[in-house]
Amino acid sequence: MINIFWFRRDLRLEDNTALEEALSSGMPVLPLFIFDSNITEELSHNDARVSFIYDTLSSIDKELKKWGSSLLVKKGEPQKIWQDLITTFEINSVFINKDYEPYALLRDSLIENLLSKNNISLKKYKDQVIFEEKEILKSDNSPYTVFTPYKNRWLQKPAEKLPLKARDSSVSRKNIYECNFEFPLIEMAGFKHSSMKVRPYDLSAINDYEKFRDLPFADKTSYLSPHLRFGTVSIRKVVTMASNINQTFLNELIWREFFMQILYNYPDVVTGNFRSKYDGINWINSESGFERWCNGETGYPLVDAGMRQLNATGYMHNRVRMVTAGFLCKHLLIDWRWGEAYFAEKLLDYELSSNNGNWQWAAGTGCDAAPYFRIFNPHSQQKRFDPKNEYVRKWVDDFNMSSYPKPIIEHEYARQRAISVYKQGILKH
């Protein structure tokens, strides 16, 4: 009789809530990872995020071998794989850390039903957030839809209740399942290694975060976001450090949880406007305009630099993300869902809740969004945040050359057009 711990968005052995609970259960624990074909079939064969997951799993497997164990890696449709596991092993319980996205909730519900029919319990734990979907609520127990009151309530939670104490999985290693599964090649999952890499995170960036957060040329970001996305770092570790050092950085971590609970409580935002009054916007949706935006050929250097950085590295500075997203929605009047899907394909730190929340913020359609008449001027943004054109020159190799494209649209004309179209869309509603 064994227990199984199922790795998902928690790819680490230290301070891993469900893993520690499993190891403390007294039964041998079999570690498992599934390349979910429902997800992987939508990705390119050299997706850098899959390479990162694979390399992280390889490191976990090597560490488990020191424990006298190994990682069981499967690929396919989760329900079928779990049916096979039930027939192969005598399973008492399955331990997981919770995931709050719509697909994950559906998948876990189906797996829980399957396990229950076979008298196997599914034990679920909070791990990737400090406060989950129903823990920060208004006085009437409804969810917050504006960030500042949510943040204030988040910060008001008594410090002793914050689950910031790291869990040490090493204390129970004796309960690991002794096995020697062969670690597969990445081709088993239908992928090949990408030349694009996830960068190591740098927690020292937290110290001066507010000084450099809006300066893309400084390159002083923490590079934490992909690691939080895939759980290669504990959120408790990061929040503990931020709360002691830098309130501005802590606010960014709270934004992450704010958008997560928005997605959980309002799953319709995945495909629809959070604010239905914007459903009447008459998007132009020019395919040629969208292509120029994707390729970084709009004639607006800061926008183009951001898109070229994204295409080359899978990263884009946060200030530049706001400018590029706002430009697509308001200058080009292209539906935010087009841009959101492109970022989902390209960003190494892609996370549905944050990507959706930030795109709807930029478009003016989301909760606590920028008002529709707030339209960034990419030229003034460049002068303010990249005054010496250092960031632009790094990514736009034809900057100030005759080959560099003329602006796709004139800013003031685009601004007035956007305000007019948004107004008309609201009136239609």
Side-chain angles (χ1 to χ4, degrees):
M1 182 77 72
I2 64 168
N3 288 330
I4 292 181
F5 169 69
W6 182 10
F7 281 104
R8 292 109 66 86
R9 293 184 47 158
D10 45 20
L11 304 182
R12 65 189 186 282
L13 293 171
E14 71 285 349
D15 193 16
N16 186 318
T17 307
L19 175 59
E20 170 60 19
E21 293 289 341
L23 290 170
S24 301
S25 67
M27 284 187 188
V29 177
L30 168 62
L32 167 75
F33 182 84
I34 299 171
F35 281 102
D36 184 342
S37 57
N38 293 327
I39 297 171
T40 59
E41 285 177 1
E42 297 181 2
L43 305 175
S44 68
H45 294 309
N46 64 342
D47 191 294
R49 294 162 295 193
V50 177
S51 291
F52 177 63
I53 291 170
Y54 177 85
D55 291 342
T56 302
L57 294 174
S58 178
S59 297
I60 289 173
D61 183 65
K62 285 172 184 156
E63 188 64 26
L64 287 170
K65 282 184 165 57
K66 297 177 189 174
W67 299 14
S69 185
S70 60
L71 181 64
L72 177 59
V73 179
K74 296 282 189 180
K75 183 218 171 181
E77 205 280 317
Q79 274 186 284
K80 183 176 186 309
I81 287 170
W82 276 106
Q83 188 62 63
D84 293 342
L85 290 169
I86 289 167
T87 59
T88 305
F89 296 97
E90 193 175 354
I91 305 169
N92 177 65
S93 297
V94 175
F95 289 73
I96 61 170
N97 289 311
K98 288 196 260 185
D99 192 341
Y100 309 99
E101 294 186 357
Y103 168 72
L105 291 167
L106 174 61
R107 175 199 62 203
D108 291 352
S109 175
L110 294 171
I111 298 301
E112 187 168 23
N113 289 337
L114 173 63
L115 294 173
S116 178
K117 288 176 185 174
N118 290 274
N119 298 314
I120 301 168
S121 60
L122 180 66
K123 298 185 181 295
K124 300 176 280 190
Y125 299 89
K126 176 178 69 173
D127 182 72
Q128 62 167 302
V129 292
I130 302 301
F131 297 118
E132 57 185 358
E133 72 280 7
K134 298 290 186 184
E135 289 188 293
I136 304 289
L137 297 170
K138 298 180 192 174
S139 55
D140 63 358
N141 287 327
S142 65
Y144 282 97
T145 59
V146 177
F147 174 70
T148 298
Y150 173 87
K151 177 193 74 174
N152 293 339
R153 186 76 187 92
W154 196 103
L155 292 168
Q156 284 165 5
K157 281 275 190 177
E160 65 270 21
K161 290 189 177 180
L162 288 177
L164 299 183
K165 186 174 179 296
R167 294 170 168 269
D168 183 7
S169 301
S170 63
V171 297
S172 307
R173 290 181 185 181
K174 64 180 184 297
N175 288 333
I176 202 75
Y177 182 70
E178 293 183 11
C179 55
N180 188 22
F181 298 114
E182 183 179 350
F183 193 76
L185 298 172
I186 194 170
E187 287 77 12
M188 175 280 284
F191 291 85
K192 59 184 180 180
H193 268 105
S194 171
S195 58
M196 198 179 286
K197 300 295 181 188
V198 171
R199 292 177 56 159
Y201 60 84
D202 178 13
L203 293 178
S204 69
I206 296 175
N207 296 323
D208 300 315
Y209 176 72
E210 73 284 357
K211 293 180 187 175
F212 299 104
R213 62 178 303 210
D214 283 320
L215 306 176
F217 62 85
D219 195 20
K220 295 245 178 159
T221 54
S222 67
Y223 290 95
L224 259 171
S225 48
H227 298 275
L228 289 172
R229 167 67 180 88
F230 296 110
T232 56
V233 65
S234 159
I235 186 62
R236 288 171 289 282
K237 174 181 178 179
V238 179
V239 165
T240 300
M241 181 175 284
S243 60
N244 290 329
I245 297 173
N246 196 306
Q247 180 64 46
T248 307
F249 194 90
L250 180 62
N251 288 347
E252 295 301 313
L253 298 172
I254 299 172
W255 266 109
R256 173 178 173 267
E257 299 199 355
F258 174 70
F259 281 140
M260 281 187 172
Q261 62 91 29
I262 288 291
L263 177 63
Y264 179 90
N265 289 297
Y266 304 95
D268 289 348
V269 297
V270 174
T271 55
N273 297 320
F274 181 87
R275 297 197 216 177
S276 60
K277 73 176 185 178
Y278 290 103
D279 289 350
I281 295 174
N282 187 24
W283 302 107
I284 292 176
N285 289 343
S286 160
E287 291 189 10
S288 61
F290 181 66
E291 185 177 355
R292 284 183 64 175
W293 177 83
C294 291
N295 294 335
E297 297 171 347
T298 67
Y300 283 85
L302 188 60
V303 173
D304 294 343
M307 297 307 296
R308 295 186 196 188
Q309 180 190 14
L310 174 64
N311 293 332
T313 68
Y315 290 97
M316 192 194 299
H317 188 276
N318 188 55
R319 165 59 56 176
V320 185
R321 291 189 196 196
M322 288 192 281
V323 176
T324 57
F327 185 88
L328 183 76
C329 299
K330 293 179 177 175
H331 282 70
L332 301 184
L333 283 175
I334 290 176
D335 194 324
W336 61 265
R337 283 160 279 231
W338 289 34
E340 198 254 8
Y342 191 76
F343 272 27
E345 177 189 341
K346 296 289 185 178
L347 281 172
L348 294 179
D349 65 1
Y350 166 67
E351 182 156 41
L352 175 57
S353 55
S354 295
N355 196 46
N356 181 280
N358 283 312
W359 268 97
Q360 293 222 42
W361 181 91
T365 63
C367 63
D368 201 12
Y372 72 86
F373 48 81
R374 183 186 182 193
I375 299 171
F376 286 122
N377 181 333
H379 292 311
S380 59
Q381 290 281 308
Q382 183 180 337
K383 286 176 185 173
R384 184 176 175 189
F385 298 115
D386 190 27
K388 296 181 182 178
N389 299 324
E390 296 166 81
Y391 175 76
V392 163
R393 288 182 190 281
K394 180 174 181 179
W395 295 109
V396 181
D397 52 9
D398 53 349
F399 177 61
N400 276 347
M401 294 171 59
S402 60
S403 59
Y404 184 65
K406 297 285 186 287
I408 190 171
I409 194 169
E410 195 269 326
H411 167 69
E412 192 53 36
Y413 166 78
R415 179 178 174 278
Q416 293 299 333
R417 182 179 70 171
I419 290 171
S420 173
V421 168
Y422 268 74
K423 274 184 181 174
Q424 290 171 13
I426 293 169
L427 284 173
K428 264 195 252 176
H429 181 78

